[in-house]
Structure formats: structure tokens, C-alpha cells
Amino acid sequence: MDKTEALKDGKKVVIRKLTIKDLDKLMAFYRSLPPEDRKYLRVDVTDRKLVAERIRLAEHGRIFRIIALDKNKIVCDGALELSGEEWRRHQGEIRVIVARAFRRKGLGAIMIRELYFLAAANNVETIVAKMMRPQKSAQIIFHRLGFREEALLPDYVRDLSGKPQDLIIMMCPLAEMWEELDGFYTDSDWERCR
Ligand SMILES: CC(C)(COP(=O)(O)OP(=O)(O)OC[C@H]1O[C@@H](n2cnc3c(N)ncnc32)[C@H](O)[C@@H]1OP(=O)(O)O)[C@@H](O)C(=O)NCCC(=O)NCCS
């Protein structure tokens, strides 16, 4: 699925599936994230063994993982996780994290679009995004893409420092997300990707 995409500043990134061969590159990406970003992730991404396990899980399971590369360096990591539970089989959860230096250049939205394609191909009807309350940029981008905040669970999770945090659950029907994405990409090569 390798794709080359141009960001708002003209820089080109390659988007492709993540494999276990990317482990060193992925660790370098995670290590380059400021502690403030890592703090709100659901696992400790500096733990190489854990990261390797998660990649392997994605190679065989219901988790799809994609990366964006600037030359040989990972600058974004994205995932779509299909629910293994019968009663949530219509749902897909998406996650994305962009390197600081690459933010506000459209990369997060491009990756979400790719995850949207994967969701559509796997019969997902509702996309879910979960984040801790301090993850403001995530709330803004998902809101802009048509997601609504459907639940706020006070102190439901803990950040990596151990501090309790509110968990926000945002959702969007796949069809509505398409409408927002369609508008979002009028200035790019979006048509080519359909
Ligand atoms: C959320 C995140 C992925 C967004 O990535 P990004 O590449 O900066 O997003 P984009 O450049 O595609 O932004 C698209 C739009 O979202 C909105 N947006 C994104 N970040 C924003 C911010 N910090 N402030 C205000 N608006 C923001 C804007 O409307 C933006 O369009 P614009 O730049 O034309 O105004 C990135 O900030 C990130 O990695 N955050 C930390 C990890 C995280 O919270 N992940 C989500 C958990 S699921």
C-alpha cells in the first residue's frame, strides 16, 4: 500500500504498513517524542519488548498499523483496531501520533484518512477515538472530522506518571466521516486515492 503524500509545506512522506523490520525505526520515533507526548499513551512505548509484541500482534490480528516516513525516519504512527468482541464488531478504534516537527502540516489528517480506508474495507460502521483530557489537539482534529464526544469517564485511566486522567470517547459513523474527509482534502490529490 506504499503511497507518497505531500504535506502542506511541500515535504513528501511515504505511508506504508508497519512491519517488525521497522522496530528500530519505531523505537527511535518513540524515543524522540517529548515526555509530555508519551505520558498520555496507553502503554510505555520505550519498552522495546512490548513494542515488538504489539507489532507482531498487528501482523496476525485485527490490528492494522501504518507509518509515515520522511526518508528513512518514522514521523507518524497510526493504528486501526477492530473489536474482537461480538457486540462491538461494527466498531474500529483509531490512534495516531505525529512527530512534533511534523504537526499542523496535514499529516495527522492524511493518516486518519488512510485508517478510514482500512476501516471501510473491513466493514467498520463506527469509528472510535479515545484520548485523555489533556490531549487537546486530538480532540480538535477528531471534532473537525465529524466526531462527537460521546462519553467522558472521570479518572478512568492513569497517565504514565500515575496521575488519574479523564478518558474521552469520541465516535463518528463511517459515512459521516467520509463527508468531512471529502471536504478536508479538496486541495490535494484526494481524488486519486478513492
Ligand atoms: C492529534 C495529532 C495526531 C494531530 O496531528 P497533525 O498532523 O498536527 O494534524 P493536522 O496537521 O492534520 O491537523 C488537521 C487539523 O486539525 C486541527 N488541529 C490539529 N492540531 C491542532 C492544534 N494543536 N490546535 C488547533 N487545531 C489543531 C486543525 O483544524 C488542523 O487543520 P489546520 O492546521 O489547517 O488548522 C497530533 O497533534 C498528535 O500526534 N498529538 C499527540 C498524540 C495524540 O493525542 N493522538 C491522538 C490519540 S488517538
Side-chain angles (χ1 to χ4, degrees), residues 85-86 93 129 172:
E85 296 167 352
E86 196 65 15
E93 183 182 338
C172 185

Side-chain angles (χ1 to χ4, degrees), residues 8 29 33 36-37 40-42 76-77 93-100 102-112 128-132 134-142 144-145 184-185:
K8 281 183 186 171
F29 168 64
L33 293 171
E36 183 60 18
D37 282 355
Y40 303 117
L41 301 180
R42 64 186 67 198
C76 180
D77 172 35
E93 183 182 338
I94 57 175
R95 298 191 289 273
V96 60
I97 182 154
V98 175
R100 283 273 166 127
F102 280 76
R103 289 192 191 163
R104 298 304 292 273
K105 298 177 193 293
L107 182 54
I110 287 171
M111 291 291 276
I112 292 170
V128 180
K130 296 177 186 167
M131 69 240 18
M132 293 190 206
Q135 292 176 293
K136 295 285 178 222
S137 307
Q139 288 153 56
I140 297 171
I141 190 171
F142 285 116
R144 204 174 151 196
L145 288 172
F184 221 84
Y185 284 92

Side-chain angles (χ1 to χ4, degrees), residues 11-104:
K11 204 179 245 295
K12 298 233 166 86
V13 294
V14 170
I15 297 176
R16 66 164 168 82
K17 198 177 152 197
L18 174 78
T19 75
I20 195 67
K21 289 186 195 146
D22 298 309
L23 181 59
D24 287 338
K25 284 200 264 289
L26 190 62
M27 292 311 295
F29 168 64
Y30 287 148
R31 277 195 296 265
S32 74
L33 293 171
E36 183 60 18
D37 282 355
R38 285 205 303 265
K39 189 171 165 189
Y40 303 117
L41 301 180
R42 64 186 67 198
V43 297
D44 178 5
V45 292
T46 59
D47 181 339
R48 188 182 171 92
K49 204 166 150 244
L50 182 89
V51 172
E53 263 168 36
R54 285 165 64 85
I55 300 177
R56 289 210 178 86
L57 205 66
E59 287 182 337
H60 304 290
R62 287 178 307 272
I63 304 168
F64 301 87
R65 295 198 50 181
I66 57 173
I67 44 175
L69 295 119
D70 170 35
K71 301 189 178 75
N72 215 16
K73 225 170 102 189
I74 294 179
V75 291
C76 180
D77 172 35
L80 167 75
E81 190 168 340
L82 307 183
S83 175
E85 296 167 352
E86 196 65 15
W87 67 350
R88 292 201 299 122
R89 63 189 178 280
H90 58 292
Q91 292 178 7
E93 183 182 338
I94 57 175
R95 298 191 289 273
V96 60
I97 182 154
V98 175
R100 283 273 166 127
F102 280 76
R103 289 192 191 163
R104 298 304 292 273

